[in-house]
Amino acid sequence: MSTDVGQAAAPRATRREWLGLAVLALPTMLIAMDLTVLHLALPTLTADLRPGNTELLWIVDIYGFLIAGFLIPMGAIGDRIGRRRLLLIGAVAFGVASVLSAFAVNAVMLIAARALLGIAGSTLMPSTLSLIRVMFQDPKQQGAAIGAWTGFFGLGTVIGPLIGGTFLEFFWWGSVFLLGVPIMLLLIVFGPLVLPEYRDESVARPDFISAIMSILGILALIFGLKRIAADGLQVESGIAIVVGLALAALFISRQRRIEQPLVDLALFRKSLFGTALVMLVLSTLLSAASQFFVMQYLQLVRGLEPVQAGLWSLPTTIMIMIGAMGAPNLAGRMKLSTLLTGGLVVSAVGMVVLAQVSGPDDLYIAVAGAAVTGLGLGPMVSLGTALIVGAAPPERAGAASAMASTGTELGSALGVAVIGSVGFAVYRANLDDTLPEGLPASAGKTAKDTLAAAVDVAHQLPAAEGSRLLTAARDAFVEGLQATAIVGAVLAVLLAVAAATLLRNARMPGPPPLAEADDAAQSFEKVDN
């Protein structure tokens, strides 16, 4: 294939870069694992530390909140001090925080340790993705590497419950946090050997006020969305979202005024960057919503143990990995818009299959629907991320990577809060009509909160009465699952139309202009190892 005049021939990755990708897969999987393993440990953890309700909520949520809040500032810091350096600093902090979490003696200590885990985790995600942007400059290889990065994150969400459940069979609740220690040690030992360093000292120090605005704004938005998902729209969640949006508006205004912004808003003037980011958020929204309801179906409707549910989730993870890792190869053989449109149509078909679930006996339908949905969304997640990262110049890849990671965090929260609210509304309406007669009013009110609450109430009632409540609650939840799947199918079709029109002329990022590539190479070589 010929290279355009004025364009640098993109160097192909060597064995060292592929070994580096394997090393970068370690923290990527670990971040996803730590988002899931805590839920398995909650029963024994609660019995041991006896946290109050508010403390328990913060134990669960603080990790994900702080990852989302600190992503953008950490991406900018990595661009300045060096992405490998930030990655290794974060690895040390993550290992220390893991040990502190494992041996916490009270709820406050565990909350503080989980907060440190979240801040450390926010250094890992943009560092890994921006290093991939530098290590793999050939567009096809870069797409494959980002696809693998996406796949390993998905794999972590599944193997987390499997490994965590095994540990809890033999050890105490803190053992699930110690999973991170050997992984971080491997990263600290092998990272300097196979990962290059990249930094641009001409990048100004991150603006402190912008960083605070970014952190507080995203924290408020994520908090509000999660509270809506749990309790519906309340005064507290509404205030949080208003505060978050106000801080976001102030943040954007400040980025326009200052000379060295934390986020380069010029990137959004590239229609490809903005379109890819919005579509990545919405695709993640679809993925999170479907997985959220399917996991509840597996455990609370079908009655599977967490480890069994994790095993039945493997087909979905495998399909996501196939879609994410196979898409870059297909991108070289067909139009990008055709590939992404086709994937989104496949995800819509998966949602339609998921809508056919009618009860506990439809396990295979639920698994098949989730797997087909994952296969269709995989290309959008991996290629969308590649478009976002590739649209930024190498010296701003850390900030662009942080934007992509923040987009996926927001998409996940929106998926559970917005589409999840549809499912929960249908659940509550149906259960309200089918509650068994004679059920205590307090039990009926609690059961209408969530299916998990209904299962808990049913186990406290006499056998016959509890069985009737459990059947009614499970049937109502399945109605909610069907409604969620239908909404997801419609949204997937709309996204497919958007991809076909807005991305019809889009191409995967190619090699940079020759002069720009020479400058980047000099900066890269100056700090390598």
Side-chain angles (χ1 to χ4, degrees):
M1 181 181 298
S2 63
T3 305
D4 292 339
V5 177
Q7 296 287 316
R12 293 184 61 80
T14 65
R15 184 173 64 176
R16 181 187 178 193
E17 281 74 35
W18 291 109
L19 289 173
L21 178 63
V23 171
L24 293 177
L26 298 175
T28 302
M29 284 195 299
L30 181 62
I31 293 168
M33 289 168 60
D34 263 42
L35 288 168
T36 57
V37 294
L38 178 66
H39 296 284
L40 295 177
L42 280 180
T44 53
L45 180 158
T46 302
D48 188 14
L49 300 184
R50 300 187 179 279
N53 288 335
T54 301
E55 290 175 325
L56 185 60
L57 285 174
W58 281 111
I59 288 171
V60 173
D61 289 337
I62 192 68
Y63 174 72
F65 282 178
L66 291 185
I67 282 183
F70 277 83
L71 278 171
I72 292 176
M74 289 301 180
I77 290 172
D79 285 337
R80 177 174 173 81
I81 72 169
R83 294 158 194 170
R84 186 181 67 185
R85 177 184 293 180
L86 183 65
L87 179 67
L88 296 179
I89 291 172
V92 172
F94 201 98
V96 171
S98 296
V99 174
L100 292 175
S101 298
F103 294 101
V105 296
N106 54 52
V108 173
M109 181 178 174
L110 182 56
I111 291 170
R114 291 274 292 170
L116 179 57
L117 271 177
I119 295 172
S122 70
T123 70
L124 304 179
M125 292 182 70
S127 297
T128 55
L129 191 52
S130 58
L131 280 171
I132 288 174
R133 166 72 170 84
V134 173
M135 292 160 58
F136 297 90
Q137 298 181 43
D138 176 79
K140 186 175 180 180
Q141 289 186 323
Q142 185 181 112
I146 291 176
W149 181 86
T150 304
F152 281 116
F153 188 87
L155 183 62
T157 63
V158 173
I159 65 174
L162 299 179
I163 298 176
T166 303
F167 269 56
L168 290 171
E169 287 287 329
F170 300 99
F171 307 108
W172 88 113
W173 60 264
S175 63
V176 299
F177 294 111
L178 295 180
L179 290 170
V181 176
I183 293 177
M184 290 299 101
L185 285 175
L186 288 173
L187 176 59
I188 292 167
V189 171
F190 292 104
L193 300 178
V194 296
L195 297 177
E197 181 60 286
Y198 187 97
R199 63 175 175 266
D200 187 349
E201 295 180 351
S202 66
V203 174
R205 292 179 183 274
D207 179 56
F208 178 76
I209 296 176
S210 295
I212 295 298
M213 285 180 173
S214 169
I215 292 168
L216 294 180
I218 291 174
L219 284 177
L221 284 172
I222 296 291
F223 175 81
L225 290 169
K226 282 183 174 287
R227 293 283 70 79
I228 288 174
D231 307 316
L233 182 60
Q234 306 286 340
V235 173
E236 181 186 50
S237 55
I239 291 174
I241 289 178
V242 169
V243 169
L245 292 174
L247 285 170
L250 291 172
F251 174 82
I252 293 171
S253 175
R254 182 171 179 81
Q255 303 315 290
R256 288 172 174 164
R257 295 197 316 269
I258 61 178
E259 187 174 340
Q260 293 287 344
L262 191 67
V263 172
D264 185 3
L265 297 182
L267 289 173
F268 288 92
R269 289 196 286 270
K270 299 179 179 180
S271 60
L272 182 59
F273 181 90
T275 302
L277 183 59
V278 171
M279 296 194 71
L280 177 64
V281 170
L282 294 176
S283 297
T284 309
L285 178 152
L286 280 175
S287 177
S290 65
Q291 291 183 44
F292 177 73
F293 275 87
V294 169
M295 284 301 292
Q296 289 193 81
Y297 170 84
L298 293 175
Q299 295 184 67
L300 300 176
V301 177
R302 180 71 181 188
L304 301 179
E305 294 296 324
V307 173
Q308 294 174 311
L311 288 171
W312 280 103
S313 298
L314 281 175
T316 301
T317 302
I318 292 170
M319 289 297 103
I320 291 174
M321 293 180 70
I322 290 173
M325 298 174 70
N329 287 327
L330 293 176
R333 303 175 186 176
M334 64 175 67
K335 286 185 63 176
L336 184 61
S337 59
T338 302
L339 174 57
L340 295 178
T341 301
L344 290 166
V345 169
V346 169
S347 70
V349 172
M351 289 288 188
V352 171
V353 172
L354 200 54
Q356 309 310 307
V357 173
S358 59
D361 295 333
D362 292 332
L363 173 63
Y364 293 106
I365 296 176
V367 172
V372 173
T373 300
L375 176 65
L377 292 176
M380 185 67 243
V381 174
S382 63
L383 296 181
T385 302
L387 288 171
I388 294 167
V389 177
E395 66 274 10
R396 301 294 291 177
S401 300
M403 290 293 294
S405 297
T406 302
T408 59
E409 291 291 332
L410 286 173
S412 296
L414 283 167
V416 177
V418 178
I419 296 187
S421 294
V422 174
F424 284 129
V426 173
Y427 165 78
R428 292 179 184 120
N430 277 274
L431 186 58
D432 193 43
D433 294 336
T434 58
L435 278 174
E437 294 183 4
L439 190 71
S442 60
K445 182 179 179 181
T446 302
K448 285 189 288 186
D449 287 341
T450 63
L451 177 58
V455 171
D456 186 54
V457 169
H459 289 157
Q460 298 174 27
L461 296 172
E465 196 173 30
S467 177
R468 289 196 299 271
L469 173 60
L470 198 57
T471 299
R474 285 172 169 170
D475 289 345
F477 180 83
V478 168
E479 293 282 344
L481 171 62
Q482 293 170 349
T484 300
I486 292 170
V487 171
V490 172
L491 180 55
V493 170
L494 293 175
L495 281 175
V497 173
T501 54
L502 299 178
L503 299 175
R504 61 183 179 275
N505 297 320
R507 295 183 180 181
M508 292 304 296
L514 190 57
E516 184 180 316
D518 288 343
D519 292 341
Q522 290 171 10
S523 177
F524 178 86
E525 291 166 358
K526 179 175 64 176
V527 297
D528 191 14
N529 289 323

